[in-house]
Amino acid sequence: MSSRLGLVTDAVEAAPGRDLYGYLVEQMTYGGKVDYVIVDEAQFLAPEQIDQLARVVDDLALDVFAFGITTDFRTKLFPGSQRLIELADRVETLQVEAMCWCGARATHNARTVGGEMVVEGEQVVVGDVDRPSEEVGYEVLCRRHHRKRMTSAAERAAALSPDVLPVTSD
């Protein structure tokens, strides 16, 4: 597993259908040392896998730290996030806050296809913030700009448009 910052470490993929509890029991049974469990992108886990992680905490006395987002580009809860919120001993919003292009706190994820924001489609589509605009991409927005479907690209286009009328307070 690697990060955009260049950090690299070994990881185990929590593929769909993988029994996370069973995997950890097997590792520990054969002498593997497990101090804690870290899950990134927890929103993509199935609700059953979240139940398995709760069992890891309760039955194996291991701490589980799960990180992820709660809602998709349509502002609907991911099933994994929903189940995590239902079972978590504690939910914390990280202090590192993403910012919308306007400077406000970003609370929503926008999916773009060909540079245009979309609000319908499959819940999970692999994309990236650094891909060419003709592909699927994602951008974090504040709620106001998500509701208005105003991405940074849409804002730049509107600012350059000859149809925008100047507003004065006279």
Side-chain angles (χ1 to χ4, degrees):
M1 178 173 71
S2 64
S3 74
R4 293 175 198 266
L5 299 174
L7 302 174
V8 178
T9 189
D10 291 333
V12 175
E13 183 179 352
R18 178 173 223 158
D19 179 352
L20 302 176
Y21 178 83
Y23 172 80
L24 289 166
V25 167
E26 182 179 343
Q27 294 302 305
M28 295 168 74
T29 299
Y30 292 105
K33 185 173 183 333
V34 180
D35 295 316
Y36 49 85
V37 177
I38 298 175
V39 180
D40 194 18
E41 304 286 3
Q43 71 272 14
F44 297 128
L45 294 180
E48 298 78 23
Q49 290 174 308
I50 300 296
D51 290 337
Q52 294 162 12
L53 292 175
R55 189 172 175 205
V56 166
V57 172
D58 296 341
D59 296 353
L60 302 180
L62 291 173
D63 290 328
V64 174
F65 302 93
F67 301 88
I69 59 176
T70 53
T71 60
D72 64 16
F73 70 104
R74 303 168 300 178
T75 69
K76 304 293 183 198
L77 283 170
F78 284 98
S81 297
Q82 179 178 339
R83 190 66 179 144
L84 188 58
I85 291 166
E86 293 166 347
L87 294 181
D89 292 324
R90 187 173 70 220
V91 176
E92 294 183 29
T93 302
L94 294 181
Q95 290 180 338
V96 177
E97 295 182 355
M99 304 299 279
C100 180
W101 58 264
C102 70
R105 182 173 176 257
T107 55
H108 292 65
N109 295 293
R111 178 184 292 169
T112 58
V113 177
E116 297 290 323
M117 184 174 157
V118 296
V119 293
E120 293 183 11
E122 293 293 320
Q123 186 173 49
V124 177
V125 173
V126 177
D128 198 341
V129 294
D130 295 325
R131 288 198 176 168
S133 62
E134 40 307 321
E135 296 182 33
V136 174
Y138 292 91
E139 179 178 351
V140 292
L141 299 173
C142 64
R143 183 184 61 240
R144 179 171 58 122
H145 288 121
H146 191 276
R147 275 188 26 255
K148 292 181 176 185
R149 299 184 186 177
M150 183 68 73
T151 63
S152 58
E155 187 276 334
R156 283 191 304 275
L160 298 173
S161 171
D163 298 330
V164 177
L165 300 174
V167 177
T168 61
S169 59
D170 292 336

